Amino acid sequence: MNEFVERLVDLRWPDHVRPSYDVVIIGGGGHGLATAYYLATRHGITNVAVIEKGYIGSGNSGRNTTIIRANYGIPEAVRFYQHSLEMYGQLEQETGRDLMHATKGLLWIAHSEAGVRQERARAEINTAFGSRTEYVDVKTISEICPQLDMTGQGVWPIYGASYHPAGASARHDRVVWAYAEGAMRLGVHVHQRTTVTGFLRDGDRVTGVQTTAGPIGGGLVVSAVGGHVTTLASMVGLRLPIRTHQLQAFVTNRYAQAFGPIVASSGLGVYVSQTAKGEMLVGAEVDRAPAYAYDSGHSFLRSCAFRSIALLPFLRDLRVLRQWTGVCDMSTDYSPVMGFTGVPNLLVTTGWGTWGFKAIPAGGEQMAALIATGRTPPLIAPFALERFANDRTMADRGSAGTH
Amino acid sequence: MTVRRLRIQCPHCGVRAIEEFLHGEIPTIPERVVDPDARDLDRAFMHTNAEGLVTERWFHAMGCRRWLTLTRDTRTNDIPERTTSYPPS
Amino acid sequence: MRALERMLFTRVVATPAAIDRAVWPTGALVLRIAQDEVLAAGTVDLGAVPDQHAIVEPETAFCGAWVDHKSGIQFLEHACDWELPAERPAFAQGAVAGIPVKVWFEAERILFLVPVPFVIDFAERWS
Ligand SMILES: [Zn+2]
């Protein structure tokens, strides 16, 4: 945490570790900190610790591509992400911090008749369940985004798109800091550079965590870990429907014109937006082989640049400024996993795949409500881990493949 | 940021970039899951998602079009070349 | 390069031992594309492969072009990131300019075999 950030937010770090807390949250990323924030602000539960092995936001909250949207493919997901999107809209006012939230609109492009059917279906289901998305034709697409090559370099012609006007983005680390600030102001302890190495047990029950700072008791323990949740769960014999995959992204140097919307293509497996600094941000699909490494590859740059140029030829004249890799916990049905685990006193919020950033407000709020009341709120009940044993999977691959 | 070129030694074609290959599955039902229903659930949905060495299948899509078996470290993507082999017949 | 032209091969899938012992037409181009698979130019008699379960089928999915040795090597040195074989004759296969290509090296000339769907892309990347 550098001086600039210290001035930007008022982070009140704890000077000691208590022997135990009512709630111990593992993982100081967006989801962990938002859960702590809503526990403190909505439920008055402040005897809470967030345990972070690096610094807050240093994991995958700091590596994502910050897109906020609610145009999912199943009703349960549309409702949940729409609620999160609306919460994001209020978050600057609520936290009093500039999160660089900007509504941009999102075009999801179809390159085939099958793609057109999918985007039409998306528009219908989104609108029916409270998140406006409309199907737009080629003429409207060029008006929304004149830079698009409608022929797709002759190989990926644009047939149509779904347009999600509420699609937005925000600055990822500011979101993390705002939640941390709000939680700590009310007395939540955030312990950085503290690694959880195991669980404290009493029979089946989880009673706390073993850490590099010693044992810490917890009335409830919540894993909000990105990337290592299956390893953590295996310490209590818990099996999760999660595989961890790398996702690579890059930004270019500044593009002189304003580039309005977020543009996504499942067919090409890329999505493109412009950052507040004017850089073009390009992300891809996850790599197929599960991995935890943060290494980046030249072949990714080559293939991703090739595909994004097919959509937006002006990218050809830009230069790659930096490239990075995050890891995504992909659930078997491409939907998140939130709530009870079957292991007494252990909760998880995971399976955030490539769609975790947009879910931070609602995920945190709903997990906090679950912790405070002991009951699963209806909004996230469909995303319980037990859905896999009950044949109630939330299959939504078509919405989750990229961004 | 580390930029590396990952390579796989195909026993038939030689050393090739990893982009010539497609990743197969990592079968991981733990021995201790013995109840038949639990095994079915595990086979359908759950993953060990190991952090460390995994034995897995890769398909040499741009070469001999055969499956091979190798060991990879998921923390680093390192592939010790000598572990590469065709699946046992 | 000259236009890639459709070539007739026979695809033979059999046990590695049977492929080792098979009798191929004299002077025919025989490419060992896997331990248990061969692409042989022209037609091959089923009886030539001593494996009762052998699959012997015509294969017309490749286009090929012969080029002189020097320009073939020049192209490959730019277009592949794998080591080219030193001996002659030799067979190699892998990504060439991002396309799955099979290459047959003779002392004086080199044959490039490209799957039909990639022919246009390959010709573009050659130039
Ligand atoms: Zn091979």
Side-chain angles (χ1 to χ4, degrees):
Chain A
M1 205 59 44
N2 62 31
E3 224 177 294
F4 169 73
V5 176
E6 297 288 3
R7 280 205 308 273
L8 207 60
V9 278
D10 172 26
L11 296 169
R12 300 182 189 175
W13 302 106
D15 56 7
H16 66 288
V17 181
R18 287 179 206 145
S20 77
Y21 295 85
D22 293 340
V23 182
V24 170
I25 298 168
I26 312 169
H31 281 276
L33 292 165
T35 302
Y37 173 90
Y38 290 111
L39 278 172
T41 56
R42 300 294 195 271
H43 305 282
I45 298 172
T46 56
N47 186 21
V48 175
V50 178
I51 317 281
E52 165 55 45
K53 73 173 174 181
Y55 57 90
I56 57 169
S58 61
N60 296 292
S61 291
R63 296 168 183 275
N64 76 91
T65 50
T66 73
I67 287 164
I68 299 164
R69 61 182 177 88
N71 52 349
Y72 278 71
I74 56 175
E76 296 84 351
V78 176
R79 285 196 202 99
F80 173 79
Y81 290 104
Q82 177 65 23
H83 179 57
S84 204
L85 182 147
E86 287 167 13
M87 289 179 74
Y88 258 123
Q90 303 295 316
L91 199 56
E92 292 187 334
Q93 204 183 347
E94 161 147 6
T95 60
R97 293 300 176 190
D98 178 5
L99 307 176
M100 300 164 76
H101 181 275
T103 299
K104 298 176 166 178
L106 188 149
L107 276 173
W108 205 326
I109 289 169
H111 301 281
S112 63
E113 289 189 13
V116 166
R117 279 196 294 278
Q118 177 164 344
E119 296 318 312
R120 280 190 187 280
R122 187 191 309 286
E124 294 298 331
I125 201 160
N126 289 178
T127 305
F129 290 95
S131 179
R132 192 162 77 83
T133 302
E134 55 191 296
Y135 182 80
V136 287
D137 62 12
V138 176
K139 184 167 166 289
T140 314
I141 294 169
S142 336
E143 284 163 16
I144 295 170
C145 186
Q147 291 95 337
L148 279 167
D149 176 357
M150 303 307 286
T151 73
Q153 305 274 288
V155 182
W156 295 92
I158 295 174
Y159 278 35
S162 67
Y163 182 59
H164 183 50
S169 67
R171 180 73 198 169
H172 47 73
D173 34 27
R174 291 197 179 196
V175 171
V176 168
W177 299 335
Y179 277 124
E181 178 186 41
M184 285 198 267
R185 188 182 288 147
L186 291 172
V188 168
H189 276 194
V190 178
H191 299 295
Q192 299 191 111
R193 305 199 186 283
T194 307
T195 305
V196 169
T197 55
F199 289 97
L200 307 178
R201 309 286 296 273
D202 177 8
D204 270 359
R205 253 172 1 111
V206 167
T207 57
V209 289
Q210 192 60 252
T211 77
T212 49
I216 302 174
L220 280 178
V221 175
V222 183
S223 166
V225 167
H228 307 277
V229 64
T230 42
T231 304
L232 205 63
S234 72
M235 294 174 185
V236 289
L238 175 65
R239 302 273 292 164
L240 291 173
I242 302 290
R243 270 179 299 196
T244 303
H245 294 257
Q246 295 171 284
L247 188 146
Q248 306 191 46
F250 68 87
V251 289
T252 67
N253 58 342
R254 193 172 161 274
Y255 175 51
Q257 294 178 44
F259 184 86
I262 300 156
V263 173
S265 160
S266 302
L268 282 161
V270 292
Y271 56 101
V272 182
S273 65
Q274 190 175 36
T275 71
K277 283 183 278 188
E279 302 162 341
M280 297 305 296
L281 167 58
V282 183
E285 295 182 316
V286 295
D287 296 345
R288 281 182 55 151
Y292 294 87
Y294 284 144
D295 57 342
S296 303
H298 180 256
S299 65
F300 154 76
L301 273 187
R302 190 167 48 190
S303 83
C304 194
F306 179 79
R307 288 175 282 139
S308 48
I309 286 168
L311 276 182
L312 297 160
F314 75 85
L315 292 173
R316 197 190 300 274
D317 300 324
L318 299 177
R319 296 288 173 266
V320 174
L321 211 58
R322 49 180 197 280
Q323 174 188 10
W324 70 95
T325 299
V327 298
C328 302
D329 295 322
M330 306 299 290
S331 59
T332 311
D333 62 358
Y334 296 82
S335 287
V337 177
M338 281 179 272
F340 299 106
T341 59
V343 177
N345 297 358
L346 178 65
L347 308 179
V348 289
T349 173
T350 184
W352 288 114
T354 62
W355 47 89
F357 180 74
K358 59 184 68 62
I360 287 171
E365 179 203 52
Q366 299 289 305
M367 283 301 290
L370 184 154
I371 292 162
T373 63
R375 287 187 307 275
T376 306
L379 196 62
I380 61 167
F383 300 111
L385 177 60
E386 64 189 18
R387 72 179 185 265
F388 293 96
N390 296 341
D391 270 347
R392 304 285 294 175
T393 54
M394 293 285 119
D396 196 12
R397 184 176 193 167
S399 303
T402 48
H403 55 299
Chain B
M1 181 177 92
T2 342
V3 175
R4 289 194 307 173
R5 312 225 52 190
L6 302 173
R7 289 168 187 282
I8 289 176
Q9 164 116 44
C10 171
H12 186 73
C13 308
V15 178
R16 293 291 186 274
I18 204 164
E19 290 74 31
E20 291 195 10
F21 299 81
L22 296 176
H23 184 258
E25 284 294 303
I26 309 172
T28 55
I29 304 178
E31 304 259 320
R32 64 182 166 74
V33 181
V34 288
D35 171 66
D37 287 341
R39 281 193 81 82
D40 284 350
L41 178 69
D42 209 281
R43 181 179 289 117
F45 298 116
M46 303 302 168
H47 304 288
T48 298
N49 197 25
E51 285 187 63
L53 291 175
V54 290
T55 298
E56 61 190 3
R57 317 279 313 269
W58 287 78
F59 182 68
H60 194 188
M62 295 179 85
C64 58
R65 303 191 63 78
R66 290 296 181 277
W67 287 95
L68 51 91
T69 305
L70 55 76
T71 303
R72 178 176 60 99
D73 192 327
T74 60
R75 293 165 300 187
T76 57
N77 278 323
D78 281 340
I79 300 165
E81 282 177 17
R82 62 196 154 71
T83 62
T84 304
S85 64
Y86 274 100
S89 50
Chain C
M1 91 187 299
R2 283 214 318 273
L4 290 146
E5 281 171 12
R6 187 85 68 149
M7 293 182 71
L8 172 67
F9 284 94
T10 304
R11 187 185 288 272
V12 178
V13 182
T15 61
I19 286 182
D20 288 340
R21 294 202 312 274
V23 184
W24 310 107
T26 320
L29 182 63
V30 178
L31 307 177
R32 186 75 171 258
I33 62 174
Q35 286 174 5
D36 53 359
E37 189 168 17
V38 151
L39 279 182
T43 52
V44 173
D45 183 7
L46 191 58
V49 188
D51 174 355
Q52 58 169 328
H53 301 296
I55 299 166
V56 178
E57 292 212 315
E59 176 59 81
T60 56
F62 290 92
C63 286
W66 289 97
V67 300
D68 69 85
H69 195 271
K70 186 159 166 262
S71 47
I73 293 293
Q74 257 174 8
F75 173 66
L76 286 167
E77 279 173 348
H78 284 99
C80 333
D81 63 354
W82 39 271
E83 207 171 319
L84 302 177
E87 69 276 20
R88 296 289 180 269
F91 171 71
Q93 57 191 348
V96 176
I99 291 166
V101 174
K102 301 184 191 305
V103 192
W104 175 250
F105 299 83
E106 291 183 359
E108 303 290 318
R109 55 182 194 160
I110 295 174
L111 172 68
F112 287 87
L113 281 183
V114 180
V116 168
F118 295 106
V119 163
I120 293 170
D121 286 324
F122 185 78
E124 275 177 11
R125 289 173 204 188
W126 178 278
S127 54

